[in-house]
Amino acid sequence: MRVVNPKDYYHPQDRKALQELQQIPGFSAALKAFMKVFSENMIQGMNMSNKVRITDKQLPELYRLLPPLCETLGIAEPEFYLELNPVANAYTMGDSIISITVTSGLIELMDEKQLTAVIAHECGHIACRHVLYHTMADMVLGAGSAILGGNLITAGLQLAFFHWQRCSELSCDRAAAVCMDGYETVAEVMALLASGSAELAKRIDMELYMEQAEDYRNFMNDSGWNKMLQYYALMNQSHPFLSVRALEVREWCGSDSFKNIMDYKYEQKPRLVIRKGICPGCGRETKEEWEFCRFCGRRLRGKEQS
C-alpha cells in the first residue's frame, strides 16, 4: 500500500477558507498572542493526568486501528488517548506533540469499522496540517479567548475561524474515505451521529438518507432567503451539517480524483529481480565476484533493488 498525498484529497473550500482566514484583519496579531501562551506541555500534561493513554499494551484492540491509517496518510503516529465523556466525539490537538482523543461515548456508540473511519478523519487533520490552527480556534472561540485579549478577537475573525473549521472537515471526510476505500462507512458515521443510537442506525436506509441530503440541497438552492436562514443557523458551528457531509463525500468518491487515488494507493512498485551474471541496471554481463557493476555502478549483491 502506498502513501497518499494530502494534496490529492484537500478540499478546495478548505484551501480557500484558510486563505480568507489568514487575510482577516487581526489574524496575525491573534496568532502571535496565541503562540506566546500556547503550551504543548500543558496539553500533554492534561492528557497524561486525566485520560487513558492507548498503546499496543493499553487497550491494544483500539490501538491497532491507528498504525495502518498513519501509514496510508503518511504521518507519524500521534499520541492516542481515551477520555471519559458520554458525548460521542474525537478531536486532535497540538503542533509538534500531536494527540488524538476519543471519548467513551464514541467507543460505546460505534462498531470497529465506524470507529476506524473516525480515527482516519482525525489523522486527516494531521496530514492536512490543520492541527495548530484547530487548537488555536478552540482557544479563540472558547472561554480561553480572554487570555489572548478580547480586543484581538473580533466578530469577523470568529466567523472566519468557524467557516474554516467547517471547510477543513470536508478534507478530512475525504481522508477517511481514502482510508476506508469508499464513502459508505463515512456516510454511516454521519447517520449514526444524527440518530444517536447504534440500534436505530442499523435500521436507517442509507439511500433514503442520501435523498434527504439532496432534498436539503435543493431546499437551499430554492431561494436566497432559505440559504440566508441556513447560513445563520450554521455560522457559529464548527462542523458542517451531517447529511451535507455524507452527500459531499459520496459525490467526491464518484470522481476521477478518488479513483486515481485508489489506483495509486494499491499500485505495487515493480521490483527488479537480480539475475545471476546480468546487471539489473544496464543489462551488461557481470562477474560473480563483483559487488557493484563496473559499467554503471549498480549493486549486484545484497538486497533486491527496487
Side-chain angles (χ1 to χ4, degrees):
M1 189 175 295
R2 305 183 71 171
V3 172
V4 177
N5 191 324
K7 292 180 181 178
D8 293 332
Y9 56 82
Y10 207 95
H11 198 288
Q13 290 183 31
D14 183 357
R15 185 177 295 105
K16 181 181 178 183
L18 180 58
Q19 292 171 348
E20 292 172 348
L21 171 65
Q22 292 169 336
Q23 293 170 5
I24 293 289
F27 174 80
S28 295
L31 178 61
K32 288 179 182 178
F34 168 74
M35 294 306 296
K36 286 182 180 179
V37 299
F38 174 59
S39 171
E40 289 191 295
N41 289 337
M42 181 183 70
I43 295 174
Q44 191 177 32
M46 292 296 293
N47 285 339
M48 290 189 295
S49 64
N50 211 36
K51 302 175 185 178
V52 177
R53 183 161 55 195
I54 301 170
T55 67
D56 57 345
K57 296 181 177 64
Q58 183 74 280
L59 301 174
E61 71 278 9
L62 297 179
Y63 170 78
R64 68 181 176 81
L65 305 178
L66 179 64
L69 303 174
C70 295
E71 182 178 354
T72 297
L73 297 179
I75 62 172
E77 284 187 28
E79 295 184 353
F80 194 17
Y81 290 95
L82 171 65
E83 177 182 68
L84 173 61
N85 189 332
V87 177
N89 193 23
Y91 57 92
T92 306
M93 297 187 72
D95 182 23
S96 59
I97 306 173
I98 297 176
S99 62
I100 291 176
T101 296
V102 293
T103 65
S104 54
L106 187 78
I107 303 298
E108 292 172 0
L109 181 64
M110 296 189 173
D111 63 25
E112 182 177 297
K113 198 171 181 181
Q114 293 160 347
L115 181 60
T116 301
V118 172
I119 297 171
H121 174 101
E122 295 304 317
C123 288
H125 282 304
I126 301 172
C128 292
R129 302 184 182 277
H130 290 155
V131 183
L132 178 62
Y133 280 5
H134 266 281
T135 304
M136 179 181 174
D138 289 341
M139 179 175 289
V140 168
L141 302 174
S145 62
I147 299 174
L148 302 182
N151 59 323
L152 293 178
I153 311 305
T154 64
L157 184 56
Q158 291 183 31
L159 291 178
F161 260 119
F162 276 126
H163 178 62
W164 170 71
Q165 282 188 303
R166 292 193 299 270
C167 293
S168 73
E169 300 300 326
L170 300 178
S171 293
C172 298
D173 289 342
R174 290 181 173 187
V178 168
C179 290
M180 304 306 293
D181 295 341
Y183 75 90
E184 291 83 358
T185 305
V186 181
E188 287 175 8
V189 167
M190 303 307 163
L192 178 56
L193 292 173
S195 69
S197 166
E199 185 58 36
L200 288 175
K202 293 175 184 177
R203 309 206 303 266
I204 290 177
D205 185 319
M206 289 305 298
E207 282 304 313
L208 292 177
Y209 185 66
M210 290 299 182
E211 287 180 16
Q212 170 187 327
E214 291 174 351
D215 288 343
Y216 174 77
R217 182 164 61 187
N218 293 334
F219 168 79
M220 284 279 288
N221 293 332
D222 187 51
S223 73
W225 178 247
N226 287 346
K227 188 173 290 187
M228 186 187 73
L229 289 176
Q230 290 303 300
Y231 176 75
Y232 182 77
L234 187 65
M235 65 181 187
N236 289 323
Q237 302 295 319
S238 61
H239 288 64
F241 292 139
L242 293 167
S243 67
V244 173
R245 292 170 64 182
L247 183 59
E248 174 80 23
V249 74
R250 185 181 76 165
E251 291 181 341
W252 181 71
C253 285
S255 69
D256 289 340
S257 296
F258 178 74
K259 182 181 182 302
N260 291 338
I261 291 173
M262 289 296 101
D263 288 345
Y264 176 81
K265 178 182 175 184
Y266 290 108
E267 179 185 358
Q268 297 297 318
K269 283 186 175 181
R271 299 186 66 84
L272 297 175
V273 178
I274 298 175
R275 291 181 294 159
K276 189 174 181 180
I278 301 296
C279 173
C282 65
R284 306 272 296 267
E285 188 175 344
T286 63
K287 294 184 179 180
E288 187 175 352
E289 64 268 20
W290 291 0
E291 183 176 355
F292 297 91
C293 176
R294 296 183 182 179
F295 302 106
C296 70
R298 185 70 176 264
R299 178 181 288 277
L300 302 175
R301 290 190 280 124
K303 294 182 179 179
E304 289 185 345
Q305 305 299 306
S306 61

